[in-house]
Amino acid sequence: MHTNTSVTRTGKVIIPILKTFFCLLLFILSQADAAEVPIVMSGEPMATVQIGANASPQEKFAASEIQTFIEKFTGVRLPLHTNQQPTTTRSVIVLGTPNSNPTIRALQSEAELDLPNEIGDEGYQIKSVDLGTEIVIIVAAHTSRGVIYGVYGFIEACITALTGLTPVHPNTVVATASSLQVPFIDETSRPFFPVRAVLEIDDPDWLARQRVNMSGGEGVWTGTGIEDGFGTAFKYVDSPAFDAFQDEPRAQRLNRIQSLKNRFKALNDRGIDAYLFLYITGEPTEALIQTRPELLGPEVLYGASRNEVSYRPFCWTKPEFHTLARQLTQEIVKTYPALAGFHLRSWGHETRACNCAECGDRSPEGQAKLWEVYFTIINAAREIRPDFKFYISGYNRSWLHDPDGDYARQLPKGTIFSQKWGADGEPIVDPNISIPQMNALGEMGHRYIVLSHDVEEVMPFWMIESDLFVQGVRQLATSNDVLGLSGFTVQGAAEGLGYLDRIVSARMNWDIQTDYLQLMQHELVTRYRNKEAGELMLNALRVNGNTLASYFSDYASSISIGGSYGTGSAGLATRFWNLIGPRAIENTLAIPDLKIAQTAVGRFTALLAPQQRAANEMWLARELAEPVDVEAVQDLNDAVHLMNLWMLLFQSREKLVEAVALGYEVNKGNAVNAKLTSAAEFSRSMQPIITEFEEFGPLFGYSHQTNEVELVNTLKAEVALLSSYDYRLLLKHDDDFMPEETDFRISQVYNFPNPLKRKTTFTYQLSLDADEVKITIYTASGRRIHELKDVSAKEGYNEATWNAEDAEGIPLANGVYFYKIRAVLDDEKSESIHKLAVIR
């Protein structure tokens, strides 16, 4: 660089014609608008990227990103120099910190670059300065991570210069141009939230470009504790000390280790902290069960175990177990130098104490033993790396209780805690998080994030929730009562147009004032190269998202998933399979009274109008759009299918609830039957749409074909049920409907959930009003332990909830039980016996 006084420039012989060319070019540039900085002109590089000779891997990556994006925009790759090399271009883009690049330190006074302390470790400053002989664009920060984010700020400025759009994100589609000039920049920026996380295994480049700084679900995450528990973490290391505990060939393990090393380094080079996910304590390997049985307790039931029946949990009181845990922890930390920390989770069956009296299960004594396991792991890791970090999920929930914060105070400062948005990520504005708990942890020096993952209601589909997400984030971010909030996870699906939510949620973590609607619209306009199409698509997606959020708030009063009508998604996050199929149909047709049926009719009528609008606008957008590539075509087609799919579902369910409501009127048998037939036709119309989807969202690792087949088969089953359904069962007042001629019976007996943790809801159908119904629970050996008397006994659908306690109010132990539902009418009796399991 011309201004670098620390370097003596060596003489070079320059071909006269090139010298003449550059002189002429400089003359032309001197006549150009002084407010523009040339980067590329007529296919020639006008700028050099400069980093320090001792630049960090993160700074080298940042420099390569400028080269990559400018080449993508213009077809020209800018030269890359260190501060010890001369530059000859009109402009120089200088990257680094005052410590890593001496040029920045030299320019601080000359360019009035102050780098205020307020920008913190991740903020940055971009400043353009005309030094006469050259124009310098300085991208500076206090840390290498800040330099990366500053580079993306510069790249977005380039996109704005080429498109005229703002805000944009680094992956915005840009038409190739032969020239690129950017306005003079004087920008200072810092993140609003310090933790900007994902819990999926995402592309490191995408994460960096969206300014994500934490990947919290690294490793093998199945959600079962089988392959992703501490008890199977031997597969992450290659040490003779653990050979006896391995369940797989060494070559397979070595491949995984090398892949993880490469990934952790790639994340680290992009300024992203990688956290290895581990259930504590998870199911032990089969090899460990065989070789070290003294470390384990007796078998416990768990249907999601390796053998789908039971497994042997670790005994938390065994000193030998803590010794093994310490050794394994330290071997993992040594194996992966680029690993930032552990994501330690305790939840449900994946944690499981053994049944010995010393372990104590969920008692305060048991909690103390579990915390001992945590501190064994934490202390062992920090002996090797004092800066090793930790993210703890499940805190003060199912297992890891800490009512007074005593254990949290002992954790390393900066430990991350989290809570899901709402009950289970359902589409609502209020995240409903524990503000007192969050603030208490914040006062201890810890960090608290909200898991705003994509809702489960629509799996394997997607919906756009940016309106709800942004409103909820801004409410919390601006509340004077919220002190400890440190960020949100990236929200949304990676499939179809669901990625728009991911862009918005990532940007909101950085700047809560971002015009998120413009951000999404600009993305759609550039990707589909038609302004009207982009506007129509965005409007359709927002209308659909708000319509579905309304539907999921109470399932339009038409279905009782979760135990009671009107519970909605706050009671139990569901999946699309729960909304279709015979059980869902039977549930809807069992609406217990006319008032609920009429409410459901009104709700579906109100939902159908906006959903029809969304479907129409998405179809019109497809007619106008000019997609940039095949993937854009597929995403738009899937969006059209999705709008139509929800419209058909609502139409089908509207006919069902209309049939129920008509059943309360006299002489409406034919009308009721016609409604059922219409509902079946709408359900049938959904089947070909399912087969046209290009991409489904991931669900438990199921393949696209499995999702498609299962969805179509479930819809076929509901059509078959509707086609054979006896409409007279819905007639409450028809003259020819004679209840006395109907056999008295109890049928369609279920309990949900099963297995259960804390409570379950029994559901059953009665062919006639009963005098009495009672539910009796027995142990596997036949001992009666509880009886629910005087439960609902009306004709049709009935529910009864039980809190999984015996007659004395003591929670049931884990195990298999039986229950008998017995109904009595005069001297007639009908009963049904079924099995249930308790797994806490």
Side-chain angles (χ1 to χ4, degrees):
M1 181 176 177
H2 301 322
T3 55
N4 182 10
T5 57
S6 65
V7 178
T8 301
R9 299 182 62 180
T10 59
K12 291 188 177 181
V13 177
I14 301 177
I15 300 173
I17 191 170
L18 290 179
K19 186 173 183 179
T20 302
F21 170 77
F22 280 115
C23 289
L24 178 61
L25 192 55
L26 288 174
F27 173 77
I28 295 172
L29 289 172
S30 68
Q31 308 305 310
D33 186 349
E36 297 287 322
V37 182
I39 306 298
V40 173
M41 295 294 291
S42 300
E44 295 294 332
M46 294 292 106
T48 299
V49 182
Q50 189 213 77
I51 58 176
N54 297 314
S56 68
Q58 290 81 12
E59 291 166 345
K60 292 177 182 177
F61 168 76
S64 72
E65 283 287 82
I66 291 182
Q67 291 180 299
T68 297
F69 277 93
I70 299 303
E71 186 173 17
K72 178 181 176 183
F73 299 154
T74 68
V76 175
R77 190 165 184 83
L78 299 183
L80 173 63
H81 290 183
T82 72
N83 67 296
Q84 296 178 356
Q85 297 172 292
T87 57
T88 58
T89 53
R90 173 73 170 123
S91 309
V92 184
I93 306 166
V94 182
L95 313 179
T97 71
N99 293 328
S100 68
N101 192 340
T103 302
I104 289 178
R105 190 164 60 248
L107 286 170
Q108 278 189 286
S109 58
E110 188 172 355
E112 297 182 356
L113 184 74
D114 53 2
L115 277 181
N117 292 330
E118 289 75 19
I119 65 173
D121 290 340
E122 296 187 327
Y124 61 83
Q125 191 169 22
I126 307 175
K127 191 161 189 175
S128 305
V129 183
D130 189 342
L131 300 177
T133 57
E134 60 195 351
I135 301 175
V136 180
I137 300 175
I138 307 166
V139 182
H142 292 301
T143 67
S144 297
R145 185 179 282 176
V147 174
I148 292 176
Y149 301 145
V151 160
Y152 292 126
F154 170 71
I155 289 169
E156 287 168 358
C158 292
I159 295 173
T160 296
L162 290 167
T163 64
L165 303 175
T166 185
V168 292
H169 66 99
N171 288 332
T172 299
V173 175
V174 176
T176 303
S178 61
S179 297
L180 168 62
Q181 298 183 90
V182 297
F184 271 60
I185 306 171
D186 189 354
E187 174 188 337
T188 301
S189 183
R190 64 174 182 176
F192 189 88
F193 290 115
V195 181
R196 304 173 302 282
V198 292
L199 294 184
E200 299 83 18
I201 306 299
D202 278 297
D203 174 53
D205 286 343
W206 188 91
L207 295 176
R209 292 165 185 173
Q210 301 301 329
R211 298 169 173 85
V212 171
N213 63 2
M214 174 189 175
S215 182
E218 293 296 326
V220 178
W221 188 3
T222 65
T224 65
I226 300 172
E227 296 300 334
D228 49 7
F230 191 73
T232 54
F234 306 102
K235 64 180 175 291
Y236 294 130
V237 297
D238 181 43
S239 169
F242 306 116
D243 283 349
F245 310 141
Q246 303 289 356
D247 279 348
E248 63 186 4
R250 183 167 182 258
Q252 181 179 344
R253 187 166 73 256
L254 290 176
N255 285 338
R256 178 188 301 108
I257 291 171
Q258 189 58 53
S259 295
L260 285 174
K261 284 182 177 180
N262 294 341
R263 177 168 173 84
F264 296 160
K265 184 180 185 304
L267 290 168
N268 182 267
D269 288 352
R270 289 156 178 76
I272 303 164
D273 288 341
Y275 284 71
L276 184 66
F277 178 90
L278 296 170
Y279 271 113
I280 304 299
T281 50
E283 182 175 353
T285 64
E286 290 280 13
L288 187 144
I289 293 173
Q290 295 297 321
T291 59
R292 296 294 299 277
E294 76 278 6
L295 300 181
L296 311 173
E299 288 185 351
V300 294
L301 288 174
Y302 179 32
S305 68
R306 191 178 292 110
N307 62 17
E308 299 183 352
V309 178
S310 64
Y311 74 96
R312 294 189 62 183
F314 287 107
C315 179
W316 299 339
T317 64
K318 300 281 189 179
E320 299 87 350
F321 164 64
H322 286 266
T323 298
L324 180 62
R326 181 177 180 277
Q327 293 170 342
L328 176 57
T329 297
Q330 294 192 336
E331 191 65 29
I332 293 174
V333 175
K334 293 174 185 176
T335 300
Y336 303 101
L339 182 64
F342 285 153
H343 174 178
L344 306 178
R345 177 168 175 78
S346 286
W347 194 259
H349 318 105
E350 292 80 12
T351 293
R352 288 313 300 251
C354 81
N355 290 332
C356 74
E358 291 79 9
C359 273
D361 203 69
R362 282 181 168 86
S363 68
E365 295 77 16
Q367 298 301 299
K369 296 296 182 185
L370 180 56
W371 276 107
E372 284 182 22
V373 176
Y374 268 74
F375 282 107
T376 291
I377 295 170
I378 290 169
N379 294 333
R382 286 168 65 84
E383 284 179 14
I384 305 300
R385 291 242 319 264
D387 64 342
F388 206 73
K389 302 175 183 179
F390 301 93
Y391 163 33
I392 295 177
S393 58
Y395 176 77
N396 259 349
R397 307 290 284 185
S398 174
W399 278 99
L400 205 61
H401 298 166
D402 186 21
D404 300 319
D406 294 335
Y407 295 108
R409 291 186 185 90
Q410 302 173 48
L411 293 168
K413 292 290 190 292
T415 295
I416 298 172
F417 299 81
S418 64
Q419 181 178 326
K420 288 183 178 180
W421 188 295
D424 200 6
E426 71 272 11
I428 54 176
V429 168
D430 184 6
N432 194 29
I433 61 176
S434 173
I435 292 177
Q437 181 187 88
M438 176 178 61
N439 290 345
L441 291 169
E443 289 172 356
M444 296 176 196
H446 298 314
R447 292 178 166 179
Y448 196 98
I449 64 175
V450 178
L451 305 186
S452 43
H453 59 80
D454 195 37
V455 296
E456 293 187 353
E457 273 84 355
V458 290
M459 287 183 179
F461 303 110
W462 48 268
M463 62 183 279
I464 295 297
E465 301 173 59
S466 288
D467 289 321
L468 302 169
F469 177 82
V470 170
Q471 188 176 344
V473 169
R474 286 177 175 168
Q475 285 179 0
L476 283 175
T478 58
S479 171
N480 293 328
D481 296 328
V482 177
L483 305 176
L485 183 59
S486 293
F488 296 78
T489 56
V490 169
Q491 183 273 331
E495 295 72 34
L497 297 178
Y499 78 95
L500 293 170
D501 270 349
R502 293 167 63 77
I503 294 170
V504 168
S505 57
R507 181 55 61 92
M508 289 295 296
N509 265 308
W510 185 274
D511 178 10
I512 62 165
Q513 298 305 324
T514 294
D515 188 336
Y516 74 100
L517 295 178
Q518 286 280 44
L519 181 65
M520 288 195 289
Q521 183 170 317
H522 293 161
E523 167 64 16
L524 293 171
V525 168
T526 55
R527 194 174 183 216
Y528 291 94
R529 294 184 293 200
N530 183 289
K531 186 174 186 295
E532 185 179 358
E535 292 172 349
L536 285 167
M537 291 168 67
L538 180 57
N539 191 64
L541 292 170
R542 295 180 68 205
V543 169
N544 170 253
N546 289 319
T547 301
L548 292 182
S550 174
Y551 169 65
F552 288 127
S553 67
D554 63 352
Y555 299 111
S557 295
S558 70
I559 198 167
S560 62
I561 293 173
S564 61
Y565 282 88
T567 297
S569 57
L572 179 69
T574 65
R575 300 176 183 87
F576 193 73
W577 273 278
N578 297 92
L579 307 177
I580 61 175
R583 186 174 181 186
I585 296 296
E586 292 168 349
N587 200 316
T588 300
L589 295 178
I591 288 176
D593 60 54
L594 176 61
K595 184 177 180 181
I596 293 176
Q598 290 173 331
T599 299
V601 171
R603 290 280 285 115
F604 278 116
T605 300
L607 292 172
L608 265 170
Q611 188 57 35
Q612 179 71 67
R613 174 187 167 193
N616 292 343
E617 290 184 338
M618 193 62 74
W619 179 87
L620 181 57
R622 185 171 62 177
E623 295 298 301
L624 298 171
E626 300 177 22
V628 298
D629 53 28
V630 173
E631 186 178 16
V633 173
Q634 294 171 347
D635 288 349
L636 180 51
N637 285 338
D638 277 358
V640 171
H641 300 329
L642 199 53
M643 300 303 109
N644 289 331
L645 186 72
W646 285 111
M647 186 177 67
L648 290 170
L649 179 73
F650 290 162
Q651 288 174 316
S652 173
R653 278 26 181 184
E654 181 185 46
K655 297 306 177 186
L656 291 182
V657 295
E658 286 176 345
V660 174
L662 282 171
Y664 286 89
E665 300 181 25
V666 178
N667 297 324
K668 293 292 185 180
N670 289 337
V672 169
N673 194 38
K675 294 291 184 183
L676 295 178
T677 301
S678 181
E681 288 307 309
F682 284 123
S683 297
R684 187 176 283 109
S685 298
M686 283 190 275
Q687 297 172 32
I689 292 180
I690 295 293
T691 64
E692 292 174 1
F693 272 90
E694 185 68 33
E695 190 175 24
F696 293 117
L699 183 63
F700 305 134
Y702 294 161
S703 68
H704 180 98
Q705 183 179 14
T706 298
N707 281 329
E708 179 181 302
V709 170
E710 290 299 319
L711 286 168
V712 170
N713 286 343
T714 305
L715 286 168
K716 287 180 177 178
E718 82 169 36
V719 171
L721 173 66
L722 286 170
S723 300
S724 61
Y725 193 85
D726 185 353
Y727 71 91
R728 292 174 298 176
L729 295 173
L730 299 179
L731 304 181
K732 307 298 182 182
H733 295 291
D734 269 13
D735 292 338
D736 60 350
F737 185 70
M738 303 296 293
E740 61 271 22
E741 297 178 0
T742 302
D743 292 336
F744 178 61
R745 59 188 175 86
I746 189 170
S747 63
Q748 299 180 34
V749 177
Y750 304 98
N751 74 292
F752 186 85
N754 187 12
L756 62 98
K757 294 181 181 178
R758 290 176 294 277
K759 68 176 181 179
T760 193
T761 298
F762 301 99
T763 65
Y764 49 96
Q765 293 266 12
L766 291 175
S767 60
L768 299 169
D769 288 338
D771 295 330
E772 178 190 52
V773 175
K774 63 181 179 181
I775 304 173
T776 308
I777 294 90
Y778 301 86
T779 65
S781 63
R783 179 171 60 88
R784 185 174 65 183
I785 54 175
H786 193 62
E787 191 171 82
L788 305 177
K789 297 180 178 180
D790 300 322
V791 296
S792 179
K794 63 181 182 297
E795 176 187 341
Y797 176 84
N798 294 270
E799 295 181 349
T801 300
W802 174 53
N803 60 4
E805 295 178 352
D806 65 17
E808 298 178 354
I810 300 173
L812 264 60
N814 293 324
V816 175
Y817 299 83
F818 292 91
Y819 65 93
K820 178 172 69 176
I821 298 185
R822 178 186 175 98
V824 178
L825 174 61
D826 296 327
D827 58 350
E828 293 187 66
K829 299 180 180 63
S830 180
E831 62 185 32
S832 185
I833 299 175
H834 299 269
K835 184 187 296 185
L836 62 81
V838 176
I839 303 179
R840 300 185 185 274

